[in-house]
Each structure stands twice: as C-alpha cells, then as structure tokens.
Amino acid sequence: MSWHNGLRAKILFDEPLSKHTTLRVGPKAGLWIEPYDVKALRSVLRKAKTNKKGYLVIGFGSKLLIKKKKISLAIHLGSANFKRCIARGTDIIAGAGAALSKLIRTAYEHNLGGLEFLSGIPATVAGAVMLNAGVSWPKRIELGSFVSGLKVMDRNGKVKNLGRKDLSFGYRSSNLKDYIILGVKFKLGKRKKMFIKSRMQRFRNYRLKTQGLRLHSAGCIFKNPDGQSSGRLIDLCGLKGRRIGDALISNKHANFIVNRGKASSADILALIRLTQEEVKMRFKVNLEPEIQVI
Ligand code: EPU
C-alpha cells in the first residue's frame, strides 16, 4: 500500500511543475498533493516524514526556478479551505492559498485600503508574505508592514499563532522560512472605494508601462543592491534582448527574464550567470537573485 493512501487530499501523479510556475519551467512532481484542510496537511507532513519524503511547498510559483530533475512531493494549499478571505472591521483574515487578486478585491469591497500596491502581482497570500512582496515606486511599501498575525504550521505538524512581536521582515525576506503559512491577518485602514480604485490603477499602469504583465516571467530576477536598481545596471550593460535558448532578458525591463516558449531551467540559469558576470565586470556589483533556485 502506498504511504499516501487514505489522505484527505487531491492527489496528482507525475504533475508537470511547469504548469505551476510563472516562468513555465520545471520538472515533474512525483506526487502533487492538495490537502483539504489543516488536519489533512498535518497528516501529509507526518506521513511524508515517516516515509522519509522531502517536499516542496508551492504557491503560484512566481518566484521559483527549479533546476532539480525531479521533485518527489509538492504540496499546494489550493483547496477551498485555504483560499478564504474574510473582512472583520479593519482586518482581513486570508487563507494561505488565496490569490493576491482576491485579497485586494475583498479589501476593496469592504472599503479597506493599503494593499493596492499588490495589483498585478501573481502570487498567493502565503508566498507574498513569506517574501515580503513590495514595491519601490513611488516609495518603498512592503506587505509585511500590514501583517498583524499569522497562523503557521511547523515541519512537525504543530500549529502556532504568531503575533507581531514574533515577526521580522526585511527586503524580500521574512523569518518564516521554516514554517508553512496557513493564514494571515492584515490590518488595513478605512478608505473610500474611489481612492482605492485609483491607487490600484496607478500601480497596475506603472507595472504595465515599465514591466509588461503578459509574458511568462518571475518578476524581478535580482534584488536591488543598496541604493541602486539591478534593472538599470543590467540595462547599462546592454543586455536587454540577450537570449539563451528561449530565455530572454526582457526588452522592457532588464531585471526580467522572459520564457519565450520552450526555455529550460538551464537556459534561464545560464542567462542569470551571464548577467551576474557582466554586471560584476562592469560595475563591481554582485547581483543576488530574488527568486528561489532549487
Ligand atoms: N531602469 C532602467 N532600465 C530597465 C529597468 C529600469 O534604466 O531596464 C531604471 C528605471 O528607469 C528607473 C529605475 O531603473 O529609473 C528603477 O526602475 P523601476 O521603477 O522599474 O524599479 P526597480 O527598482 O527596477 C522595483 C522592484 C519591483 C517593483 C518596482 C516598482 C526590486 C528588485 N524590484 O523595481 O519588484 O515592481 O520596483 O515599484 O526590488 C519584483 O520584486 O519582482 C518586482 C518586480
């Protein structure tokens, strides 16, 4: 009998992870498991541990490049129980697997403002909080500053509630890496719908103008080095349009790598290395990837 028999979860076999990353690359996951609820997730973790199965927790895969040839187990919190967004007063309680678009819509419907800067970012609530998603225009705003509490599960299946004092957020980072986020409480402010809508449009338009949203990418590939823009440095190296296989440095924003169709993880990695070398040679700056490479 297989170790995963009897789990209360949707289970897929040999699931192509290219379907679950925004760069549209990745190997197959031997097992793709979507537990129905927190209890089922705990069973998955415990059974995986007993059977010595490593696992990858994956949201919308928007900051992920997998170079491994195979992932044996991928866990995705995509069932209805993990996708709820509920407004209570000026708080929103959101499930880990809810899309940011749903979070923003719920906020808008309840006249709650603050999260408009997330418009157009293809991520789950958990992924965006884990990486402290943010913008630098027109000023630095980050999701972590709106988080007032979290429900997480540790790798042994124990559920914990974390409060503000337990949390620390940095530039595209958090102290949550060892946990699986189950749900997040956001503290927002009362705003007029018109105000929220126009801010959402402003952020979305800025993204459309400077980045484009339609092509397969992982957003910015590199973090910005202190006080500088990686996109600008890469652009100054003349790398826009540089191509390896079907991986291309975007002509619109040089910190974006685009999959033109059939790029492999190896093509993208090669383009990342080439970019790092050129920027290092010309500006003596080390570019650190913002995406997770595994
Ligand atoms: N620039 C160029 N050439 C380029 C790209 C940018 O010269 O190819 C210049 C721009 O003209 C501008 C400056 O560089 O003067 C900064 O560019 P931009 O406003 O696009 O911001 P960024 O620093 O490149 C950051 C975040 C983005 C976020 C934008 C908008 C990082 C690594 N990137 O980009 O986040 O959307 O600000 O607020 O912090 C992401 O994390 O995936 C991401 C896209």
Side-chain angles (χ1 to χ4, degrees):
M1 198 168 95
S2 301
W3 69 269
H4 48 82
N5 278 1
L7 286 171
R8 290 172 39 257
K10 172 174 162 184
I11 302 183
L12 302 174
F13 300 91
D14 283 332
E15 177 68 359
L17 292 179
S18 52
K19 275 167 60 182
H20 302 281
T21 60
T22 54
L23 270 166
R24 294 288 185 271
V25 297
K28 285 187 175 163
L31 282 170
W32 170 274
I33 298 191
E34 296 183 24
Y36 292 149
D37 54 25
V38 172
K39 230 170 115 187
L41 172 63
R42 183 182 298 120
S43 305
V44 174
L45 296 194
R46 292 198 171 150
K47 285 197 174 191
K49 193 168 183 183
T50 315
N51 289 277
K52 297 193 173 39
K53 293 269 175 205
Y55 57 85
L56 169 72
V57 180
I58 180 168
F60 288 169
S62 57
K63 286 285 173 197
L64 185 60
L65 179 62
I66 309 170
K67 61 178 180 185
K68 285 186 178 170
K69 292 276 169 283
K70 177 144 191 176
I71 294 289
S72 75
L73 169 59
I75 299 174
H76 177 66
L77 303 186
S79 63
N81 279 320
F82 290 108
K83 293 206 289 198
R84 294 201 181 100
C85 279
I86 299 157
R88 248 184 236 147
T90 54
D91 293 334
I92 291 192
I93 295 120
L100 290 184
S101 54
K102 179 169 181 181
L103 174 67
I104 306 168
R105 199 169 56 243
T106 307
Y108 172 75
E109 280 161 5
H110 292 84
N111 291 70
L112 296 174
L115 300 180
E116 302 77 50
F117 68 97
L118 298 171
S119 291
I121 300 181
T124 59
V125 163
V129 168
M130 187 76 82
L131 275 186
N132 193 18
V135 292
S136 60
W137 175 90
K139 58 176 183 155
R140 192 166 155 184
I141 318 176
E142 287 169 338
L143 186 53
S145 60
F146 296 90
V147 176
S148 59
L150 278 171
K151 187 175 266 190
V152 298
M153 185 177 276
D154 71 15
R155 301 272 160 178
N156 298 313
K158 189 161 181 260
V159 173
K160 293 183 185 175
N161 287 302
L162 304 180
R164 197 62 226 180
K165 63 176 187 338
D166 306 310
L167 305 173
S168 114
F169 291 102
Y171 172 51
R172 300 293 192 272
S173 68
S174 71
N175 62 342
L176 297 163
K177 291 271 153 60
D178 292 334
Y179 293 117
I180 296 176
I181 296 177
L182 303 174
V184 185
K185 189 161 152 188
F186 297 98
K187 183 102 208 136
L188 304 177
K190 277 279 176 203
R191 293 281 182 276
K192 290 215 162 71
K193 280 211 169 67
M194 230 164 62
F195 175 82
I196 300 175
K197 192 165 213 162
S198 86
R199 265 173 60 91
M200 275 161 58
Q201 267 157 0
R202 254 175 78 208
F203 282 106
R204 208 180 155 80
N205 287 343
Y206 185 80
R207 274 215 173 82
L208 270 173
K209 197 172 104 208
T210 61
Q211 304 170 359
L213 292 172
R214 264 174 236 107
L215 302 170
H216 299 312
S217 82
C220 284
I221 290 283
F222 301 103
K223 293 184 185 178
N224 281 341
D226 258 348
Q228 305 195 64
S229 154
S230 294
R232 189 166 165 273
L233 297 180
I234 301 166
D235 194 354
L236 288 172
C237 287
L239 287 172
K240 273 184 171 168
R242 181 67 73 89
R243 197 168 171 161
I244 295 182
D246 251 0
L248 170 91
I249 297 186
S250 162
N251 284 304
K252 201 152 200 178
H253 196 297
N255 199 7
F256 278 55
I257 290 180
V258 166
N259 179 358
R260 303 268 303 155
K262 294 197 165 62
S264 64
S265 307
D267 295 335
I268 294 168
L269 272 174
L271 206 48
I272 288 176
R273 290 207 188 97
L274 178 150
T275 305
Q276 285 172 317
E277 279 162 18
E278 300 253 337
V279 170
K280 174 83 180 172
M281 212 157 62
R282 172 120 185 236
F283 296 107
K284 313 270 175 294
V285 170
N286 291 314
L287 292 185
E288 190 196 331
E290 179 180 319
I291 59 169
Q292 191 191 359
V293 181
I294 57 170

